[in-house]
Structures are given as structure tokens and as C-alpha cells.
Amino acid sequence: MAKIGIFGAGYVGLVTGACFADLGHEVVVRDVLPERIERLRAGEVPIYEPGLEAVLERCRDRISFTLDVQEAVAGSDFLYVAVGTPPTYAGDADLSAVWTVVDELPDDAQAIVVMKSTVPVGTGEKVRAALDARGLEAVGYVSNPEFTAEGTAVRDFMEPDRIVIGAFDEEDGDAVEALHIGIDGPVVRTDVNSAEMIKLAANAFLVTRISFINEIANVCELVGADVKHVAEGIGLDHRLGPHFLRAGIGWGGSCFPKDSLALKQLAANSGYHFHLMNAVIEVNELQKRRVLQKLQRHLGRLRGKSIALLGLAFKPNTDDMREAPSLVLASRLIAEGAEVRGWDPVARPELPGVTLHDSPLEAVRDADAAVIVTEWPQLLDFPSEETRAAMRHPLIVDGRNLLDPDSVRALGFAYEGTGRRISPTDVLPEAAEPELEPSE
Ligand code: UGA
């Protein structure tokens, strides 16, 4: 079994560390945030990730946490880099945390550096050159991108669709592959640049699928088709597959927005205008704003109207608010003069101007509309006699097509989904602002 030092105790670092410890390796996770390390040492898990706590608990004696670089490096065979690579002002990936790790390596380091953080293509070559320039030729370098999704990260790590390993040196690649013994999944061995591109291209393809189905949904609304049926019908084609065809109010999260922008900028910096990526990103920006038009169609002007946002995290089963569509929605609603309330079973963000409530029922009391922003399963039984009676206008805008339109309408709600047929009985004319008479 190997000794692995992991730099970064965020989602990726903790999941990677916990899973490697579960496979029997000895793991030291290093972070620069004292509070985070203290909590981890005390047995607390600072992020909401189903299954992670159980794995960490199970492997307590094989995983430790430190602020000290030396402790992570000493005796380690592998040094995983799992630090954040947020976008810079220019939209490129900010690699300063990656470079700090590389710069902090001691002069006698011997391990293999393994890049888990998502980085632009060419980063491995630059790191290799920097290591060589420092006389650290003995330090290996391997790209081993991550494909785990938040909420299912532990399962995704242990039961991956593939493990991608890009190495300069075959032996280093073999060593990283051997770390994964015990995990069943195809291994793709390649060069470093291609491994880096696989990661970016995979995320770019996933967002392209979502933006595609979102545009199909928008057309469905105009022509009277139902995107759920359309997605099912096209997803059964084995060449297309059923995944990532859920239409909604746009994709968010810590990865998709930053990685799609980073790929677009990587292409631009290399002299290529990536038309499709630009369109995919723009479609997503517009998608988040479409809910307002739906609310306006039912309620007229939104000034003074009270709108409840149900589900705030960027997707269910996480407390992550990074690039959550709820953020854009809330700020657009506030800009229109609406009063905005929010509910989420896990995320408790401080959103300026948004009042948080402890239950969906409280959030919608006297509200003019409820918007399902994140498809938490808890919202499946949100429509009821009680919630309808509590609302000033029983309007549900289902941004994720979570609910069954017929049963919601049968309960007396007006319902509007995403890419679904609009019922003429759904309009709440009494809620609309009266048309202004043209002045004489
Ligand atoms: C995503 C990828 O799915 C992972 O493979 C990848 O490793 C990860 O990014 C990363 O680069 O680290 P994640 O951001 O956790 O994972 O979440 P997803 O489940 O992919 O969802 C992303 C967004 O797309 C969410 O806002 C979700 O609501 C939206 N989405 C997803 C849709 O709107 N429709 C779909 O059909 C699927």
C-alpha cells in the first residue's frame, strides 16, 4: 500500500483522500485553512457530501489532516494536487494555488506529483519544466483528472466510468494505475496533454447536451410539445444515450461554468474561436433568466410581488451554492422589485435581500408564486391543499420539471414547467397588472 499526500481538503481532495484510504492506502490531507483542518481532525466533515462521512469514519486510522507541507510530503510516494482553480478575471483558470504547491515541494522531494485539479491543457508540461529547472528531475508528474459529481462523488470515485491517466513516463503512469487496484473500471492511458483535454472536453460535452436540450425545451414551449417525452424519445437512441438531457433553468456548480469558460479561453488564447462553446454558455445565461418572463406572464409586473425560490443549491444533494442558478434568479427578481424568499433543505446561503425560511410551506405563505429552482426530492409532495391555501396566488413555476403537471393542476395550482405544454386555464388574469389606458 502507498502513502499519499493530498493538497487541498475541498470536495475533490477529501473525496480522493477518503476513497484512497478506504482502498487501504495511508493518506495525509493538507490544507491551508486552519479551521477546516481542526474540524476534520475533530471528526467533522466540513462539506455536505453523502457517504463521505461514513468513509472517513471507517478509515480514521489511515487518514490524517495537517496544515504542514512537510507532514504531507514526508515519506509520500504520491502527491495529489486537488486545490481550487477558479476563473481569473479574464476567464482563464487561476493556477496560483497549483503553483504554490509545486513551489512548496522540498528540494529533496522524490514523489510522483499527480494533478487532480482541473487545469488548462499544457499545465503539466509547464509544471514538468519548472520541476526540471529546480533540479527535481526525480519527481514524476501524472495527470489523473477527476470525473466525480457532487452528491455522488464517493460512488463515482469507487465505481468510475473510466480512470484517465496521462503520464510523461510509463512507469509513473503504471504506479498511479496501481493505486486504483480494487476499483473496477476501464483505464485510459495517454499523454499528459490529452488527459488534460479529456477532462475539459468531457465537461464541455455535458454542458453542450444540457444547453441543447434547454433550447429544445424552449422551442417545445412555443410549439406545444413536452421536452420530457422528447428527451426520453431521443435518449433511447443508443448513439445518444439518456443522460444529461434534463431540461431546466440552466447548469451551475463549481465546475461546469468555470471549465466551459476556461476551455473557451484556452481555445481563444491559442488562436481559435470556439463558436459552439460560446453559444452553449450564452444559452445557459439566457436560460436562467427565462423564469422571469414566465412569472411576468402570470403576474404582470413583479414589483411588490412575493416570489418563493424552492431549492437554492446548484443541484440536489449538495450545499454548494457556487454558480447556482438561484443566485441569478434572486438578483434578477430583486432588480424587478420583487420580494424574494428562499428555502433549501441543506444550503443556508446569505443572499442579500432574500429571506430564508425553514420549510417550503413557510416560504410560500402569502407568496404570489413558487419557483422550483432545485429538484430536491422533498419538493415532490410540495403541492397540497395546505400549500395552495397558504399562497396568495397558487402558481408553481417548475424550473426542473420535478412535478406531474396534471396532478398539480388537479390540486388547483396554475403550473408552468420547462419545455412543457402550457394550459390555457393556467393563466391567473386577476393577478396581472391592469393594462394602462393610453393617455389622451
Ligand atoms: C460535474 C460533472 O458531472 C462531473 O463529471 C465532473 O467531474 C464535475 O462536474 C467536475 O468537473 O468536477 P457537478 O458539477 O458536481 O459534476 O454536477 P452535475 O451533476 O454534473 O450537474 C451540474 C449542473 O448541471 C447542475 O446545475 C445540474 O442541475 C445541471 N444539469 C445536469 C441539468 O440542468 N440537466 C441535466 O440533465 C444534468
Side-chain angles (χ1 to χ4, degrees), residues 44 140 233 360 372:
E44 276 178 56
I372 297 189

Side-chain angles (χ1 to χ4, degrees), residues 146-148 150 199 203 244 246 251-252 255-256 314-315:
E146 60 97 20
F147 301 100
T148 57
E150 287 178 23
K199 167 67 193 182
N203 274 1
F244 278 65
R246 276 179 287 117
W251 37 272
C255 303
F256 281 174
F314 84 94
K315 67 172 190 178

Side-chain angles (χ1 to χ4, degrees), residues 71-387:
E71 236 176 89
V73 174
S76 283
D77 312 296
F78 301 89
L79 297 172
Y80 264 79
V81 182
V83 295
T85 51
T88 63
Y89 188 72
D92 306 305
D94 178 352
L95 296 181
S96 49
V98 169
W99 283 112
T100 304
V101 173
V102 174
D103 293 343
E104 279 176 344
L105 292 181
D107 291 337
D108 57 354
Q110 293 277 336
I112 299 175
V113 171
V114 191
M115 189 58 69
K116 203 67 172 162
S117 302
T118 301
V119 294
V121 182
T123 302
E125 286 183 343
K126 288 185 187 145
V127 174
R128 180 69 272 163
L131 291 170
D132 293 346
R134 269 188 63 196
L136 289 173
E137 289 89 355
V139 173
Y141 184 93
V142 172
S143 166
N144 174 214
E146 60 97 20
F147 301 100
T148 57
E150 287 178 23
T152 54
V154 172
R155 191 196 64 201
D156 294 345
F157 192 97
M158 290 308 215
E159 299 165 32
D161 288 344
R162 77 298 208 186
I163 295 163
V164 173
I165 296 173
F168 294 114
D169 180 292
E170 279 297 300
E171 275 179 28
D172 290 346
D174 294 345
V176 172
E177 186 172 343
L179 274 185
H180 295 79
I181 287 173
I183 297 181
D184 206 13
V187 177
V188 178
R189 292 287 297 268
T190 182
D191 58 277
V192 171
N193 281 2
S194 303
E196 291 167 345
M197 187 51 119
I198 288 170
K199 167 67 193 182
L200 292 177
N203 274 1
F205 206 175
L206 291 170
V207 294
T208 302
R209 280 176 73 97
I210 307 172
S211 279
F212 173 80
I213 201 67
N214 282 342
E215 287 216 283
I216 293 289
N218 300 343
V219 180
C220 281
E221 285 174 9
L222 294 172
V223 298
D226 187 322
V227 75
K228 271 201 134 175
H229 298 172
V230 174
E232 188 190 346
I234 56 180
L236 283 168
D237 185 323
H238 74 277
R239 295 166 303 177
L240 299 174
H243 304 290
F244 278 65
L245 287 179
R246 276 179 287 117
I249 55 176
W251 37 272
S254 60
C255 303
F256 281 174
K258 110 180 145 60
D259 292 352
S260 49
L261 190 59
L263 179 57
K264 171 187 144 162
Q265 302 302 21
L266 175 74
N269 295 342
S270 316
Y272 183 73
H273 183 77
F274 201 147
H275 293 274
L276 187 56
M277 208 65 243
N278 276 299
V280 164
I281 293 169
E282 192 185 357
V283 166
N284 197 48
E285 285 311 313
L286 296 173
Q287 196 69 12
K288 294 182 228 169
R289 290 161 165 77
R290 280 178 67 85
V291 169
L292 264 89
Q293 293 156 20
K294 292 183 178 174
L295 291 168
Q296 279 157 344
R297 188 161 58 242
H298 290 269
L299 301 173
R301 278 174 49 187
L302 297 177
R303 176 165 299 282
K305 303 278 160 50
S306 173
I307 312 293
L309 302 182
L310 303 181
L312 301 169
F314 84 94
K315 67 172 190 178
N317 288 323
T318 177
D319 61 350
D320 201 335
M321 286 295 299
R322 283 177 285 179
E323 300 289 333
S326 63
L327 298 171
V328 173
L329 210 48
S331 77
R332 280 294 299 116
L333 285 167
I334 290 166
E336 292 294 324
E339 185 219 333
V340 183
R341 294 108 167 269
W343 167 85
D344 191 280
V346 181
R348 304 297 292 176
E350 277 178 32
L351 303 178
V354 179
T355 330
L356 294 189
H357 294 269
D358 290 333
S359 71
L361 178 63
E362 269 178 53
V364 302
R365 199 173 295 288
D366 293 326
D368 294 287
V371 182
I372 297 189
V373 185
T374 310
E375 66 277 34
W376 283 100
Q378 290 88 325
L379 290 171
L380 278 167
D381 54 12
F382 164 72
S384 67
E385 300 283 350
E386 198 182 15
T387 44

